[in-house]
Amino acid sequence: MTVFSGNGFKKNSIHADTWAMLEKARQDGVETVWDRLEQQQPQCGYCSLGTSCRICTMGPCRVDPFGDGPQKGVCGADADIIVARNLARMIAAGASAHSDHGRDILEALYLVGEGKTDTYKINDPAKLKKLAAEYGIETKGKKDLKIASELAWEIMEDYGMRREKLPLAARAPKARQEIWEKTSTYPRGIDRENVEMLHRTTMGVDNDWVNILLHGVRTSLSDGWGGSMIATELSDALFGLPTPKMSSMNLGVLKADHVNIILHGHNPMLSEVIAAASQDQELLDLAKENGATGINLAGVCCTGNEVLMRRGIPMAGNHLMQELAIVTGAVELMVVDYQCIMPSVVETAKCYHTKVVSTFDKAKFPGAEHVSFDPQHGMDIGKKIVRMAVENFPKRVGAKVNIPVESVQMMTGFSIEAILQALGGTPQPLIDAIVKGQIRGAVGIVGCNNPKIKQDLGHTELTKRLIENDILVVVTGCATVADGKAGLMVPEAADKAGPGLSAVCKALGIPPVLHLGSCVDNTRILVLAAALANTLGVDISALPLAGAAPEWYSEKAVAIGAYVVASGIYTVLGTTPPVFGSPNVVKLLTEGLDGVFGATFAVEPDPNRAAVLIRRHIEKKRAGLNLPAIDPDSIGLPEAELALV
Ligand code: CUV
Ligand code: SF4
């Protein structure tokens, strides 16, 4: 096997598997996301600052933020209106993506309840009953299927217009709910808020930029305490509650002698059936007949996080690895559902024997084979797709195969229920550790990769700085793979944490970085924050917590950031959002929101500096709760900035 040093590519990523496969891609004549980013330079300055508008055909328009060119679009919209509208539409798109994913799971739950699917069943009846209670459904004497059907029917109304308040938002502390009521941002119907957001931002409707952004908050809350939370809760009920287990990650999880299938996308409905189908004896026998030792699954992006959490299926990589996984030449088939799937994977696959199979009728990829997914007969479809992979194994070209590294161990499966169980049933031990200052606070590091940032540098540097300073880190989405590959998610990584956090981790046998799941599972962070706040009798904004999205790229991340801040958690973004063309909007997001929601955004691309901002914030919150605190001003910014690219 050729050894690719990847020396020319060390600026692109912190990881050796990326370097090696970038070099191989170059040798194989394969274009990657980094090449295309370069071809796009220079990217549009107006769009980067958020001051371009193409909402109607009197435009497209652009407002010159430096004052030389026009200050208004053809309709008269100024920079504030244009920036606010663009940001609000990003929130609506992101919230819609998560919430429509939730809707698909909800439909599956309904099919289960009605006995109309031969594939899914209720895996966690306790979760089902807990949810039923929250929705006021009587469960006594009822069969699980009946409860599932009634619960699904009730939750469908969360997407409609009869509700004044989304029921799951009642999980937030009372004080938080009062803020939402006062500001008219309490989420009502999920579809309603999203459609209203699109309505308001069409030409000639809401032209008060503050009013636009407030509805952006409401829309994001309908995601966080609605669509995403529904996706998480119902996935647990259908596919099982995640519990702690070991797994592994990076391109080394691919096996040279196995049929390799990559699971890419977001919805566990698909990845769960592929996982089950890959254990089918007939297909395993066929794999042997075709010369393979077995069938190996590996995840990419959030559906990878879903099956990692529940089944311990390893992950081949995060967002920026989707093309490079194919470049190994060892992938028989990549099956995709929706979201974060670069259309380029079809082109990449053409250079190898890899088949790309799309599955959801709402997400087709020209050049891919489409196998229409039907939740009523999911298992048959799962088997069909696995068979396609097995039959493709003999077409593999040995000379093109290169699996560049050994995999790295990591620990996964920290649902809130599992965390509480590890703590002995209540959040009290965690609270005690925070009160004593053994753990100073907790930070959720979430979100994507972005080729504008050296891959995984933002995630891992920020994580290291935080755990060194006794701050517990929880991760979801692509941040998970970054930290996992860096060896930060095994119990032994407690040695990399400060003395307080290290002692707690060692006592419990857990890593200092806990995996909470996929992007929709950011709602587990909300649930944990609400549980801590409710136990202490304070609002979430009083807690020593923060969020960070060091390498975000997706509209979904904008929706997440907005609902996290609107839930009272200070959030630092690593990638710059397209808002800097409006100083007013920037001021509102970074200062003004504090007076209303008790939290703001900050933008800081340098993870070492971001860590300082977060540590200062956490110490301020500790002081506010009369807990032993370090003087925030004594925490200095590093002198040299980190080279990010
Ligand atoms: Ni939904 S949204 S790149 S897979 S986390 Fe990964 Fe996560 Fe961002 Fe996409
Ligand atoms: Fe231009 Fe106004 Fe139309 Fe936007 S809505 S494209 S600013 S005319």
Side-chain angles (χ1 to χ4, degrees), residues 470-622:
D470 288 327
I471 294 167
L472 176 71
V473 169
V474 299
V475 287
T476 61
C478 290
T480 309
V481 185
D483 282 355
K485 281 165 77 168
L488 297 168
M489 297 179 69
V490 283
E492 297 74 37
D495 290 331
K496 299 189 170 108
L501 176 60
S502 174
V504 174
C505 290
K506 283 179 179 163
L508 296 170
I510 57 170
V513 181
L514 303 180
H515 181 214
L516 264 58
S518 65
C519 287
V520 294
D521 293 338
N522 284 321
T523 59
R524 298 191 200 272
I525 300 178
L526 295 183
V527 169
L528 180 61
L532 292 174
N534 287 332
T535 309
L536 287 169
V538 297
D539 192 1
I540 294 173
S541 57
L543 299 172
L545 303 177
E551 304 178 34
W552 73 276
Y553 90 89
S554 166
E555 290 163 317
K556 292 178 286 172
V558 183
I560 294 167
Y563 75 63
V564 168
V565 169
S567 299
I569 302 175
Y570 171 72
T571 297
V572 183
L573 304 175
T575 325
T576 308
V579 297
F580 281 84
S582 163
N584 282 330
V585 170
V586 172
K587 199 162 182 309
L588 180 80
L589 298 178
T590 58
E591 295 171 29
L593 287 178
D594 201 34
V596 189
F597 293 100
T600 59
F601 283 101
V603 179
E604 176 50 70
D606 184 321
N608 289 327
R609 290 172 166 257
V612 169
L613 299 182
I614 289 171
R615 287 175 56 210
R616 287 178 179 168
H617 170 82
I618 281 180
E619 296 304 330
K620 272 186 214 149
K621 292 294 168 184
R622 292 185 60 87

Side-chain angles (χ1 to χ4, degrees), residues 64-363:
D64 184 347
F66 305 108
D68 300 331
Q71 293 301 297
K72 289 194 169 121
V74 176
C75 69
D78 60 14
D80 297 336
I81 298 174
I82 292 175
V83 167
R85 274 196 310 221
N86 288 340
L87 184 65
R89 284 198 163 199
M90 286 183 93
I91 292 174
S96 295
H98 288 146
S99 299
D100 201 44
H101 161 177
R103 186 201 323 269
D104 286 335
I105 309 268
L106 176 57
E107 277 188 323
L109 180 72
Y110 187 65
L111 290 176
V112 170
E114 294 291 296
K116 287 186 179 153
T117 165
D118 56 19
T119 300
Y120 305 109
K121 59 182 176 45
I122 301 300
N123 238 303
D124 186 350
K127 189 103 180 193
L128 182 77
K129 292 196 179 100
K130 184 174 166 282
L131 282 166
E134 284 182 276
Y135 279 85
I137 293 165
E138 179 58 68
T139 55
K140 250 223 241 86
K142 276 185 202 158
K143 292 220 161 68
D144 286 351
L145 293 191
K146 176 87 175 132
I147 299 170
S149 163
E150 288 182 16
L151 177 64
W153 191 253
E154 233 357 89
I155 299 180
M156 283 176 190
E157 197 47 43
D158 288 8
Y159 285 82
M161 62 181 282
R162 286 211 300 267
R163 298 230 195 274
E164 284 173 25
K165 293 176 177 177
L166 285 179
L168 293 178
R171 292 174 169 189
K174 281 270 158 328
R176 183 57 30 185
Q177 295 185 54
E178 278 163 17
I179 292 173
W180 297 338
E181 269 163 35
K182 264 208 316 257
T183 50
S184 299
T185 57
Y186 208 117
R188 299 161 297 179
I190 298 161
D191 289 353
R192 175 186 193 154
E193 308 306 1
N194 281 283
V195 170
E196 185 176 323
M197 192 76 267
L198 292 180
H199 175 199
R200 285 190 191 217
T201 52
T202 200
M203 151 56 197
V205 185
D206 199 351
N207 288 301
D208 178 331
W209 61 273
V210 177
N211 207 39
I212 294 171
L213 291 177
L214 274 177
H215 191 73
V217 164
R218 195 175 213 174
T219 306
S220 75
L221 288 170
S222 81
D223 175 4
W225 299 87
S228 277
M229 202 170 271
I230 289 167
T232 293
E233 295 288 345
L234 299 190
S235 294
D236 285 354
L238 285 171
F239 310 126
L241 188 72
T243 51
K245 53 183 76 67
M246 293 304 293
S247 185
S248 54
M249 38 188 50
N250 77 27
L251 289 182
V253 306
L254 298 173
K255 295 183 182 163
D257 59 348
H258 278 58
V259 174
N260 288 307
I261 301 177
I262 297 273
L263 309 164
H264 184 6
H266 281 75
N267 193 321
M269 282 164 70
L270 175 73
S271 46
E272 281 286 334
V273 292
I274 303 281
S278 71
Q279 287 165 16
D280 181 82
Q281 197 51 51
E282 206 187 308
L283 290 168
L284 286 167
D285 291 344
L286 185 63
K288 289 226 167 70
E289 270 169 47
N290 283 350
T293 314
I295 302 171
N296 181 44
L297 304 184
V300 163
C301 282
C302 277
T303 206
N305 278 287
E306 297 272 353
V307 287
L308 173 66
M309 280 284 277
R310 295 198 179 83
R311 290 180 178 254
I313 290 175
M315 283 189 74
N318 46 10
H319 185 59
L320 287 178
M321 302 310 283
Q322 54 185 291
E323 295 170 310
L324 299 183
I326 297 174
V327 173
T328 61
V331 175
E332 274 53 57
L333 187 142
M334 173 181 272
V335 60
V336 306
D337 49 73
Y338 42 52
Q339 299 171 20
C340 297
I341 300 144
M342 296 186 199
S344 65
V345 292
V346 178
E347 284 306 308
T348 313
K350 281 184 192 157
C351 300
Y352 305 93
H353 73 303
T354 310
K355 271 186 201 283
V356 178
V357 175
S358 58
T359 50
F360 276 68
D361 291 349
K362 58 181 120 185

Side-chain angles (χ1 to χ4, degrees), residues 44 46-47 50-64 70-79 82-83 85-86 203:
C44 172
Y46 294 102
C47 293
T51 55
S52 53
C53 182
R54 44 173 188 76
I55 277 172
C56 83
T57 63
M58 294 193 288
C61 305
R62 66 221 186 287
V63 163
D64 184 347
Q71 293 301 297
K72 289 194 169 121
V74 176
C75 69
D78 60 14
I82 292 175
V83 167
R85 274 196 310 221
N86 288 340
M203 151 56 197

Side-chain angles (χ1 to χ4, degrees), residues 9-25:
F9 298 93
K10 295 201 168 160
K11 63 181 187 310
N12 300 96
S13 171
I14 65 166
H15 290 302
D17 56 352
T18 310
W19 306 334
M21 288 304 101
L22 279 172
E23 187 175 333
K24 181 168 189 283

